[in-house]
C-alpha cells in the first residue's frame, strides 16, 4: 500500500460548495486532464461497492455539483444525466459482496476506484481521490483529498455518478427479491432490511457475510441465492 498523501483543509478553508480550484492548480502544473474519484456503498449490508472516475470539461462544468449525500435523490438523478453528457470521460466500476468478504470494505473500495480510473476512455494525467487513501496501482499520480466531494467539483461529480449507479443496481435487484425492500433502502441496515433478513435469511452472493449481523451466532439460516434468477443491470 502506497503511503497516503492527504490534503486536509482547515474548517475555515472549506468552500460552501465544491469548486474547480484543485483541478485548476494541477492543470497549471501541466497535469491535464484531471479525474475525480469517489465511491458509494461502504456501509450497506448488501450489494456492491461502486466507484466512479469523472474527467470534467473545464468549459462545461455542470451547475449544482455537490457531495451526493447533500443532494436529494431527484437532484442526483438530474445531475447524473448532465454529467454523463458534459464530461470528457466517465467510468464506473464495482466490487461485489463476495469480493468484499474476501478482503475488506476499505480494500474493495480502493480497488473499485483503481478499476474506474483504468476504465476511462481518456487517460487521466492526475487523479483526485475522496478520502485519506490513495488507491494502489493507479495508472497516474493521485492526491487523496479529505472531504473531497465537498471541495472538488470533479470528485463531487464522481460521487453523484457512483451513488446513482449503485442505487439503480439495488433497485433493479429489488424487483427480483421484493421481500427485502431493496428499492427503499438499497442495502443499508434499516429496520425493514434487518427484519427481512431475520424473516428470510441473507441472500447468498448479495449480502456481505463478513458484516454484522451476519455472524454465526446471529444468523443460522441461508436465504435465496441472487444467482437463482439472472440479474441484468442497465
Amino acid at each position: 500500500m502506497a503511503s497516503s498523501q492527504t490534503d486536509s483543509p482547515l474548517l475555515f478553508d472549506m468552500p460552501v460548495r465544491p469548486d474547480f480550484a484543485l483541478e485548476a492548480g494541477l492543470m497549471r502544473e501541466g497535469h491535464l486532464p484531471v479525474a475525480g474519484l469517489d465511491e458509494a456503498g461502504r456501509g450497506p449490508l448488501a450489494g456492491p461497492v461502486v466507484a466512479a472516475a469523472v474527467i470534467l470539461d473545464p468549459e462545461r462544468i455542470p451547475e449544482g455539483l455537490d457531495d451526493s449525500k447533500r443532494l436529494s435523490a431527484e437532484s442526483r438523478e438530474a445531475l447524473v444525466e448532465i454529467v454523463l453528457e458534459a464530461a470528457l470521460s466517465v467510468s464506473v466500476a464495482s466490487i461485489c459482496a463476495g469480493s468484499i468478504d474476501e478482503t475488506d470494505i476499505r480494500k474493495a473500495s480502493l480497488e473499485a476506484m483503481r478499476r474506474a480510473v483504468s476504465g476511462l476512455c481518456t487517460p487521466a494525467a492526475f487523479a483526485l481521490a475522496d478520502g485519506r487513501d490513495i488507491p494502489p496501482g493507479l495508472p497516474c499520480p493521485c492526491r487523496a483529498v479529505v472531504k473531497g466531494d465537498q471541495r472538488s467539483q470533479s470528485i463531487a461529480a464522481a460521487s453523484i455518478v457512483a451513488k446513482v449507479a449503485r442505487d439503480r443496481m439495488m433497485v433493479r435487484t429489488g424487483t427480483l427479491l421484493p421481500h427485502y425492500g431493496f428499492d427503499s433502502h438499497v442495502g443499508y441496515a434499516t429496520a425493514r432490511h434487518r427484519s427481512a433478513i431475520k424473516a428470510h435469511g441473507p441472500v447468498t452472493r448479495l449480502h456481505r457475510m463478513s458484516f454484522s449481523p451476519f455472524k454465526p451466532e446471529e444468523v443460522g439460516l441461508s436465504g435465496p441465492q441472487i444467482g437463482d434468477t439472472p440479474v441484468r443491470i442497465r
Side-chain angles (χ1 to χ4, degrees), residues 153-233:
Q153 288 176 322
S154 297
I155 297 177
S159 78
I160 293 167
V161 172
K163 173 64 174 169
V164 171
R166 186 182 186 280
D167 283 357
R168 289 178 179 178
M169 290 179 185
M170 296 305 296
V171 169
R172 179 62 63 87
T173 300
T175 65
L176 304 175
L177 300 165
H179 298 307
Y180 291 86
F182 290 120
D183 59 316
S184 63
H185 56 67
V186 297
Y188 283 87
T190 63
R192 179 183 180 185
H193 191 188
R194 288 180 177 274
S195 295
I197 293 168
K198 289 182 180 179
H200 306 289
V203 182
T204 304
R205 305 211 307 261
L206 179 65
H207 280 104
R208 301 174 182 179
M209 302 307 294
S210 58
F211 281 37
S212 180
F214 306 117
K215 304 294 184 183
E217 65 274 14
E218 297 179 59
V219 176
L221 299 175
S222 178
Q225 295 193 24
I226 192 63
D228 290 343
T229 304
V231 180
R232 183 174 298 167
I233 306 297

